[in-house]
Amino acid sequence: MLIVMRMGATDEQVRGVLARLKEFDLDGHLSPGKERVVIGAVGVIGDPDIRHQMGRMSGVEEVIAISRPYKLTGREFQKEETIIDVGGVRIGGGTMVVMAGPCSIESEEHMVTTAKAVAASGAQILRGGAFKPRTSPYAFRGLGEEGLQHLATAREETGLPVITEVMEARDVDLVARYADILQIGTRNMQNFMLLDEVGLARKPVMLKRGLSATIDEWLLAAEYIMAKGNRDVILCERGIRTFETATRNTLDLSAIPVVKRLSHLPIVSDPAHGTGHWYLVEPMARASMAVGADGLMVEVHPNPDHALSDGPQSLTLENFDSLMKSLERVGEAVGHPLAAQPQMAAVGD
Ligand code: PEP
Ligand code: MN
């Protein structure tokens, strides 16, 4: 249910609506639009008369029932696109950010070398996994907190914000101490306890689409995070499971404009996990930019043949550099340029 306040409604009237919602055990989420305040009421609306009662309150223009299952993530609740500022990098709002780095953090030297190279090529955000969800329990599962420390060193050396995955509700505080953005991996898209926990964290969250999740299920997972009060949610299309085996997954490019129509949240494309092959990363990255992605996530490794995870889909430092040059040209052609690097980025050495 959305409660649209009159133009010029007073703070007191807004507070009155929020207090009344509380009496019905509903949470009121404010969307202070350009012209008028909209209040999203979430919770179980048991009594259908609530809508009429809210409609009679002072300062209320109208009450709208939302038919979609997700509320706060939808365009009805917020018309303007969400723009998230992460350490001076703006995600959303018509430009594209590039998050780049190794699949797994392997050592300090490995992380810092990769970080300096991708920063020099123009990346705006560093990625690197310390807690790795692996299909086989015998595969490399990451360096844990030591890896997070290397990521923090790479941030200091480059001035770029960092994103890394958190796999467990009990690790959220630890990972949030190091990360600028918390990543929820595809296998955890419906780990509802984890979603609740990152919803309480004071860091932006990037939610990857589940391996077999529909767009509705994905937006409902984002709703869990927003319902706990965290508005800074980024979605990430990373390929879904289909019958096709020539690629690791099928990167669902159409999901990008579909999500943009349904939701105000920024959406990032991950052509590395989406295809599984390094030579498909550039064409699918270019296509993602053309269909309006707000960001890209790319895996980069100084020596992909020796990577401890996801080598076959990782770009070399040189290939990443040429990808960035080609994205500049696509950005100009489609009117969707790359975002600026943060001002303090140290890209010269
Ligand atoms: C990753 O980005 O490192 C990762 C494990 O991705 P996904 O959850 O999409 O498989
Ligand atoms: Mn990976």
Side-chain angles (χ1 to χ4, degrees):
M1 173 170 74
L2 285 183
I3 297 152
V4 182
M5 300 301 289
R6 291 216 172 96
M7 218 139 57
T10 63
D11 288 352
E12 203 186 328
Q13 288 169 326
V14 171
R15 276 197 300 274
V17 168
L18 293 174
R20 190 87 180 100
L21 288 174
K22 267 257 155 328
E23 287 169 25
F24 292 117
D25 236 1
L26 297 172
D27 278 334
H29 294 253
L30 285 190
S31 170
K34 279 203 187 81
E35 286 174 5
R36 57 189 86 200
V37 172
V38 176
I39 301 172
V42 296
V44 181
I45 300 179
D47 179 357
D49 193 50
I50 294 177
R51 207 172 295 146
H52 298 116
Q53 292 194 39
M54 297 311 299
R56 286 195 294 269
M57 289 196 70
S58 105
V60 172
E61 171 86 32
E62 62 173 330
V63 177
I64 305 169
I66 308 183
S67 49
R68 295 190 199 281
Y70 44 87
K71 319 279 177 205
L72 304 174
T73 45
R75 282 272 184 194
E76 290 93 342
F77 174 61
Q78 184 183 313
K79 289 204 168 32
E80 301 86 23
E81 289 197 1
T82 288
I83 300 176
I84 303 172
D85 189 303
V86 186
V89 177
R90 279 161 59 93
I91 306 177
T95 56
M96 193 174 84
V97 297
V98 179
M99 309 174 172
C103 176
S104 303
I105 300 158
E106 299 174 9
S107 68
E108 182 179 298
E109 205 231 320
H110 165 252
M111 186 63 226
V112 172
T113 308
T114 313
K116 284 186 172 170
V118 298
S121 297
Q124 296 87 357
I125 296 176
L126 300 176
R127 68 147 282 148
F131 294 96
K132 297 300 304 175
R134 302 306 302 277
T135 303
S136 161
Y138 308 120
F140 177 61
R141 293 165 73 179
L143 295 179
E145 187 170 2
E146 185 197 329
L148 297 176
Q149 285 161 356
H150 302 329
L151 195 58
T153 307
R155 170 177 48 207
E156 264 164 50
E157 297 271 338
T158 59
L160 299 188
V162 301
I163 177 169
T164 194
E165 177 162 355
V166 56
M167 287 171 56
E168 277 255 39
R170 65 169 180 222
D171 288 341
V172 170
D173 283 346
L174 170 74
V175 179
R177 256 184 269 137
Y178 293 92
D180 299 297
I181 305 174
L182 301 168
Q183 175 173 322
I184 302 295
T186 193
R187 296 159 187 82
N188 270 322
M189 188 201 84
Q190 285 188 316
N191 180 339
F192 300 117
M193 306 299 261
L194 179 59
L195 299 179
D196 277 347
E197 206 58 36
V198 295
L200 295 169
R202 289 164 181 268
K203 289 284 164 84
V205 177
M206 187 173 89
L207 177 67
K208 288 192 148 196
R209 181 177 182 181
L211 277 172
S212 302
T214 64
I215 290 174
D216 267 11
E217 287 162 343
W218 187 16
L219 291 175
L220 275 168
E223 188 81 14
Y224 267 82
I225 303 170
M226 292 193 74
K228 285 285 179 196
N230 192 340
R231 294 279 180 91
D232 293 337
V233 179
I234 303 156
L235 300 163
C236 176
E237 163 60 44
R238 52 78 68 205
I240 47 174
R241 186 61 64 91
T242 69
F243 55 83
E244 183 54 72
T245 54
T247 46
R248 180 177 175 185
N249 292 292
T250 296
L251 186 69
D252 182 6
L253 280 180
S254 60
I256 294 167
V258 170
V259 163
K260 288 226 142 281
R261 188 182 169 90
L262 296 174
S263 174
H264 50 85
L265 295 174
I267 177 164
V268 165
S269 168
D270 175 351
H273 295 92
T275 64
H277 300 288
W278 69 269
Y279 60 88
L280 293 175
V281 169
E282 179 166 330
M284 297 313 272
R286 290 160 59 97
S288 300
M289 190 174 210
V291 296
D294 299 292
L296 268 188
M297 171 161 265
V298 184
E299 290 186 332
V300 181
H301 196 285
N303 188 352
D305 289 347
H306 288 86
L308 296 183
S309 60
D310 285 350
Q313 67 194 34
S314 298
L315 298 182
T316 60
L317 307 182
E318 297 74 26
N319 283 341
F320 179 71
D321 193 61
S322 80
L323 168 70
M324 291 302 284
K325 292 200 169 84
S326 114
L327 290 178
E328 255 172 53
R329 293 193 295 274
V330 178
E332 272 168 35
V334 300
H336 186 61
L338 286 169
Q341 279 186 317
Q343 297 220 307
M344 69 288 193
V347 297
D349 51 345

